Amino acid sequence: MPEHRLIHWRWRSTLANATVFALTAVVVAILAWLVIDLLRSAWPRLSWNLLTEDPRRAGRAGGLAPILVATAGVLTVCLAVVVPLGLATAIALAEARGRWANMVRASLDVLAGAPSIVVGLFGLLIFGDALGLGYSLASGGLTLAMMVLPVVVRLGEAALRAVPAELPATAAALGLSRTSCWLRLIIPTALPGLLAALALGVGRALAETAALLFTAGASERMPESLADPGRVLAVHIYELAMNVAGGEASAAASAVVLLAILTASQALGLAAIARSRRSRPS
Amino acid sequence: MTVPTPCCATVDGTCPELVLDRFAMRYGRHPAVAAIDLAIPPCAITAIVGPSGCGKSSLLAGLNRLDELVPGAVVTGSVRWRGRDVRARDQDVPTLRRSLALIAQRPVPFPLSIANNLALPLRDHGCPRTEVAARSERALRQVGLWEEVRHRLGQSATTLSGGQQQRLCLARALALGPEVLLLDEPCSALDPVAAGVIEDLIVSLRGFYTVVLVTHDLAQARRVADHVAILWPTPHGGRLVVSGGPDQLDGHTCGDPAISAYLRAQRVAGATTSASAVLDA
C-alpha cells in the first residue's frame, strides 16, 4: 500500500475510533447525569425509613412499604404466569413450523408492540370486570403478564432456536427421548438466553405504569392479599410527580428505589446467566 | 435395559443383515436417492462412496429413520433389518436408533461433562445407575480414550480435541450396545493424524459390528472396507453404479466416462494423500 494511502487509512481509523468512543461517552454521560440529578433531588428523603414506613401526607413524607409490597405482589403474579406459560410457548414455537405457528408469532409481535394503555384497558375489562377481580394486585399482575409474555416468548424462542441444530439431531440419532433432549440438552444450553429474556421482561414489568393504573389501582394502603388493590412504584412516582404538589423529592426518592431494584434484578439475571454458563458441564 | 450382543458373537450365527429394497428418498420434489437395491453384509465394513450430492448421507439417515427429522423428506421402498421393515408401524424408533447408531460427520459432543456424555443416553435408555460407570469405561476403552480422559471425566466434553470428540461420539454410541454403526464421513472434519486414529478404530470394529461407512474418499474405502458401493448423482437422485469387493472396482468403467474418470481420479488422489501415508511420513 502506498504511504499516503496508509496515512489516510490510519486517519480514518483514528476518526472512527474517536467517534465510537465519543458516542459511548455521551451515552454514559446521559446515564450519569440522570442518576446524579435523581440522587441530588432525592437526597433529603433518602433514609432506611423510606423502605419500612407507610407513606404520609399523600406520599410527601413517610416511606414506601406498602408500595414495595404491592410491587412485589404484582410482579409475583406476573412471573407466576409468564415463566411456565412463556417457556412452554417458546418451546412450542421453537418446534413448530407452518402457517399456524407464523400466525401465533405475528400475533405475539403485534401484542408486544401494543400501547400499554390499550392493554390496561383490556385488562380492566377482562380481569377487572369479566372475571370480577376488580382493582387488585391479581388483576394488575395478569395484565402485566399479558404485556411481558410476548417479549419473553419471542426472545425465549430465539434463544432456543440459537441452539445448534446438530444437538437435537445427535440426540435423536442416539434414540434419546424428546423430553430428555429438551430438559437435559436444549433448555440448559439456551438457559442464558432464556434468563436474559426473563430479566428484560422483569425490567419492563417494573417500569410499567399506565396498564397498572387501570387494573391494580392507586391505593396507598398496605395490601393484605392479592385481591386487594395496591399502588406499584411506577404508579407512585407518576402520582407524586403529577398530582401531588411538593411531591417532587419523594418522586425522585421513589425513582432511586425503582432504579436500584431494576439494577439489582438485572444484576441477579446476569449472575444467573454466568452461573448457568459455568455449571453447564456437570 | 437389554444390551444387544455384537452380531458375530451370536451363538446361532444368524447375523442380522440390512437389506435395501427399491429404497428411494426425496426432499419435497428434489430427488436425493433413486431406487436402490443393496444388501449390506453383517459383521463387515461396507463403504458407500460417491461425489458430493449423490445422496450418501441421505441414504444413511434413511437406514435408522433419521430422515423423519427433516421436513419434506419422503422415503419409498423398504429397509429390512433382522427381516423386519424399519418403518413398520410398531417399530420402536428409539430402540431402532440405539441399535443402528449413526455417528455424524462433525463430532457433536453434548454440552455436558465427558462422563455425562455417555451417562445421559445410557440412563435415558433405562440402564441401571450401577452399570452406567462400568459401561462408560468399557466404551471409552474400546475407542482408546480411557487413558486420555480418566482423570478429567468431570470436564466439559467440548474441551477435547476434534479427534478425541469424534472418538467420544463413537464411544457414546458403542456404550448403548448397537449392532450396526452408521458412520457419516467420520474423518472428514479431522486432521490426517486424527483421521488415521479413527480409521484404525473402524478397522478394529470389523467382525463385531456391521459398519456402514459413508465417505467420498475411495482410497479410504479401499483401506478399510470389505465391500464398496458407489453412488452416482443423476437427475433422479443418487444411483447405485457399482457394488462389490474393493478389488472389483479396478478397471470398472460402468459404461460411463464420467464415473470412470472419477474412479481414476480417486485412485490417483488415494495414492498420494492417504491418511496412512501421512501417518507413515
Side-chain angles (χ1 to χ4, degrees), chain A residues 36 70 74 81 99 123 125 186 224 239-240 262:
Chain A
I36 290 167
V74 167
V81 174
R99 204 161 15 134
L125 293 172
I186 298 177
E224 288 177 358
E239 290 287 345
L240 286 172
L262 266 172

Side-chain angles (χ1 to χ4, degrees), chain B residues 84-98:
Chain B
R84 283 192 76 213
D85 189 347
V86 297
R87 283 165 207 277
R89 269 173 188 240
D90 58 343
Q91 175 68 57
D92 180 41
V93 178
T95 306
L96 174 80
R97 289 181 183 156
R98 192 190 78 199

Side-chain angles (χ1 to χ4, degrees), chain A residues 97 164 166-177 180 184-185 189 280-282, chain B residues 66 69 71 94 97 102 106 108 110-113 116 120-121 124-125 154 156 172 176:
Chain A
R97 294 184 188 88
E166 293 99 337
L167 206 55
T170 304
L174 290 166
L176 246 73
S177 65
S180 270
R184 298 298 310 276
L185 297 175
T189 306
R280 207 180 306 154
S282 61
Chain B
L66 262 187
L69 301 181
R97 289 181 183 156
L102 190 142
R106 212 166 59 87
V108 185
F110 294 146
L112 303 169
S113 65
N116 276 348
L120 175 63
D124 200 57
H125 283 288
S156 171
R172 196 170 55 189
L176 294 173

Side-chain angles (χ1 to χ4, degrees), chain B residues 11-163:
Chain B
V11 180
D12 58 1
T14 52
C15 295
E17 188 179 39
L18 266 172
V19 182
L20 284 72
D21 184 15
R22 306 296 294 163
F23 176 88
M25 190 191 283
R26 62 186 160 83
Y27 299 106
R29 290 181 177 180
H30 178 73
V33 182
I36 282 179
D37 294 312
L38 180 67
I40 294 170
C43 312
I45 301 173
T46 300
I48 297 173
V49 190
S52 298
C54 69
K56 308 184 292 287
S57 297
S58 297
L59 185 142
L60 208 61
L63 297 184
N64 74 349
R65 294 176 61 170
L66 262 187
D67 56 283
E68 290 171 1
L69 301 181
V70 184
V74 179
V75 168
T76 54
S78 70
V79 177
R80 285 201 311 279
W81 178 61
R82 289 178 171 272
R84 283 192 76 213
D85 189 347
V86 297
R87 283 165 207 277
R89 269 173 188 240
D90 58 343
Q91 175 68 57
D92 180 41
V93 178
T95 306
L96 174 80
R97 289 181 183 156
R98 192 190 78 199
S99 302
L100 278 73
L102 190 142
I103 285 94
Q105 188 172 0
R106 212 166 59 87
V108 185
F110 294 146
L112 303 169
S113 65
I114 296 168
N116 276 348
N117 258 271
L118 289 114
L120 175 63
L122 279 169
R123 283 189 204 137
D124 200 57
H125 283 288
C127 178
R129 276 183 177 270
T130 48
E131 283 183 28
V132 168
R135 290 183 63 163
S136 300
E137 182 184 334
R138 201 183 316 143
L140 286 170
R141 283 186 190 283
Q142 221 174 338
V143 299
L145 200 57
W146 175 249
E147 291 303 326
E148 293 167 51
V149 300
R150 59 183 296 189
H151 297 301
R152 49 177 178 141
L153 289 170
Q155 278 184 19
S156 171
T158 52
T159 59
L160 297 173
S161 70

